[in-house]
Amino acid sequence: EGMAPPQRILFPPENIRMDWQQSQRAGAGLHNSDNTCYVNAVLQCLSYTPPLANYLLSREHSQSCRLRGFCMMCRMEAHVNKVLHSSGSVIQPWVITNVLTKIGEHFQLGMQEDAHEFLRYTVSAMQRACLSGISDLDISSQSTTVVHQIFGGFLRSRVTCLSCKAVSDSYEAFMDVPLDIKAASSVTAALEDFVRPEHLDGENCFHCSTCDQRAAASKSFTIDRVPRVLTLCLKRFEGFTGRKISKAVGYPEYLDLRPYTSQTSGEPLVYSLYAVLVHSGGSCHGGHYFCYVKASNGLWYEMDDTSVVLQDINKVLRQQAYLLFYVR
C-alpha cells in the first residue's frame, strides 16, 4: 500500500510451513536454575510456535550459519530440537541460560525478570542473527527474514487533518501488540480501544503540511500487514509501581483480526490460540511464570518448569493471561 517493496528477499515466504510436520505429545519440562521461570515459560511458548519449530527442527539455519561466536538462532535451534525430542523427561536449558547477558546485558541468573521483556529481547536477538553479515538493507528487506516473516507485522499510523481533511500515513514494524486492559474486560474490547481514533487538539495539535498550520486532527492505529504469528501482551503492570492489574480479561480460542486492520472489508483473518503465558503474584517484582501450550498432537499441556501436565482448553481459557500467542 504505502510501503516500498523490499529490494531483497532474505527468506522465501513459500518455505515457511505453518502446520506441524509431525504429530507428537509435549516435549521436555525445564529445570528452573535460580529464578529462571520467566525464561522457561517464554522458551516453551516459542518451542510450540509451529512455523518457528518447523524451521528450527529442519536445522536449516545451523547448516548455513556463518556467525562466529554467539548466534541466537543456533542456540534456539539446539534448544528446540532437544526439547521436542525429549518427551517425558526434564532438561536443563543451559544452551539459553548460559548466554542471558548476550540476549540482553541486564539479564542475569538469580534475578527475576519480566517475561515479556525477555521475549522481546529473544526475538530481537534472533532477528539480529538473521541479519548478521548483511549491511545497507532497507526496512522492507529487513522484514523478509524468517523471524520477521513469522512474528512481524506493520502498523499504520494515520493522521487526518480535521481542517483540510489531508491524510498522513506512517508505518512501523512490530513483533507483538501491547494492549491496555485498564478499561477492557476482553481482548477484543482492548483491540477495539487500540484502533479507536484519538482526537488531537489544544497542546497536542498537529502541524498539517497541506494547509501549513497547526490544526486539530484525528490519529488512529491499524494493523496494516498482519503477522503469521500474533503475540499480544496484556499490560498487567502499572508503569511506576509495578503493581499488577489482576482482573480477568477474556480471550477467545479463535480470533478474527480483520476488524482491526487497515482493510476492514474482506475475508476473515482467523487466528488460533496455541500458547498462553501466565504470571501469578502481586507485582512485576516477584511471583512466578508458567504457561499453557498446544503441542503438535493438538492437545494442551500446562508447562510449569519441570512439570508437564495434560490440560483441557476450558482451563486454558480461564487464566489471568499476560502473553497470548495466536497462529494464523
Side-chain angles (χ1 to χ4, degrees):
E1 261 79 273
M3 291 174 54
Q7 290 158 13
R8 271 181 78 180
I9 305 285
L10 299 176
F11 187 85
E14 63 274 13
N15 289 2
I16 295 174
R17 294 187 169 83
M18 296 300 290
D19 296 317
W20 287 104
Q21 301 299 288
Q22 70 242 31
S23 168
Q24 58 188 67
R25 66 194 184 115
L30 302 177
H31 280 292
N32 181 338
S33 45
D34 211 3
N35 273 341
T36 53
C37 62
Y38 72 97
V39 173
N40 290 350
V42 167
L43 288 178
Q44 294 288 32
C45 292
L46 290 174
S47 298
Y48 295 89
T49 297
L52 179 67
N54 287 331
Y55 175 70
L56 296 175
L57 287 169
S58 76
R59 297 189 184 271
E60 186 183 324
H61 176 82
S62 59
Q63 286 160 15
S64 61
C65 181
R66 289 186 296 279
L67 255 182
R68 285 185 177 80
F70 169 67
C71 171
M72 193 65 204
M73 286 300 280
C74 287
R75 294 271 169 170
M76 281 302 293
E77 183 180 290
H79 175 79
V80 168
N81 273 279
K82 193 171 179 186
V83 161
L84 296 183
H85 292 137
S86 307
S87 194
S89 65
V90 176
I91 66 166
Q92 285 280 7
W94 289 129
V95 68
I96 304 297
T97 53
N98 279 348
V99 291
L100 285 182
T101 54
K102 289 189 165 73
I103 297 169
E105 52 193 37
H106 59 293
F107 294 127
Q108 43 188 293
L109 275 177
M111 299 291 287
Q112 166 77 286
E113 300 285 357
D114 178 69
H116 177 231
E117 189 179 23
F118 181 69
L119 172 70
R120 292 190 84 147
Y121 272 84
T122 300
V123 173
S124 293
M126 287 160 62
Q127 170 73 350
R128 282 198 306 279
C130 292
L131 290 171
S132 69
I134 311 167
S135 56
D136 299 335
L137 273 186
D138 60 293
I139 193 105
S140 291
S141 299
Q142 288 175 30
S143 71
T144 66
T145 64
V146 65
V147 170
H148 202 285
Q149 288 191 66
I150 291 171
F151 294 100
F154 280 87
L155 290 177
R156 184 187 75 189
S157 166
R158 169 164 286 185
V159 179
T160 307
C161 173
L162 297 179
S163 175
C164 73
K165 300 295 183 272
V167 170
S168 166
D169 288 342
S170 58
Y171 299 88
E172 181 190 339
F174 70 87
M175 293 290 201
D176 58 55
V177 178
L179 292 179
D180 199 326
I181 57 167
K182 282 200 188 82
S185 59
S186 69
V187 158
T188 47
L191 280 164
E192 282 159 22
D193 289 344
F194 183 76
V195 298
R196 184 170 289 122
E198 174 193 359
H199 194 68
L200 306 177
D201 59 10
E203 286 189 355
N204 292 328
C205 264
F206 163 71
H207 185 273
C208 176
S209 55
T210 307
C211 58
D212 197 23
Q213 62 175 0
R214 283 173 63 76
S218 127
K219 180 181 182 179
S220 63
F221 282 106
T222 48
I223 299 171
D224 197 71
R225 192 184 298 169
V226 299
R228 285 175 172 80
V229 165
L230 173 70
T231 310
L232 301 174
C233 174
L234 280 52
K235 290 159 75 172
R236 286 202 175 269
F237 300 116
E238 306 268 10
F240 295 110
T241 61
R243 200 172 58 82
K244 186 169 160 194
I245 302 169
S246 293
K247 67 186 221 176
V249 179
Y251 48 94
E253 185 180 0
Y254 299 99
L255 175 68
D256 178 13
L257 208 55
R258 176 63 73 187
Y260 318 108
T261 64
S262 304
Q263 301 288 334
T264 51
S265 60
E267 292 285 303
L269 294 167
V270 180
Y271 285 73
S272 171
L273 186 71
Y274 73 88
V276 178
L277 188 145
V278 182
H279 174 269
S280 64
S283 88
C284 67
H285 306 301
H288 181 61
Y289 289 104
F290 60 98
C291 66
Y292 295 85
V293 298
K294 189 180 188 178
S296 59
N297 61 2
L299 300 177
W300 282 90
Y301 295 83
E302 181 180 313
M303 304 291 217
D304 190 346
D305 290 332
T306 56
S307 164
V308 176
V309 180
L310 195 62
Q311 285 294 357
D312 72 297
I313 183 66
N314 296 317
K315 183 172 182 188
V316 174
L317 294 173
R318 286 199 308 269
Q319 298 302 309
Q320 247 187 50
Y322 180 36
L323 298 174
L324 295 168
F325 297 81
Y326 286 89
V327 65
R328 177 124 180 239

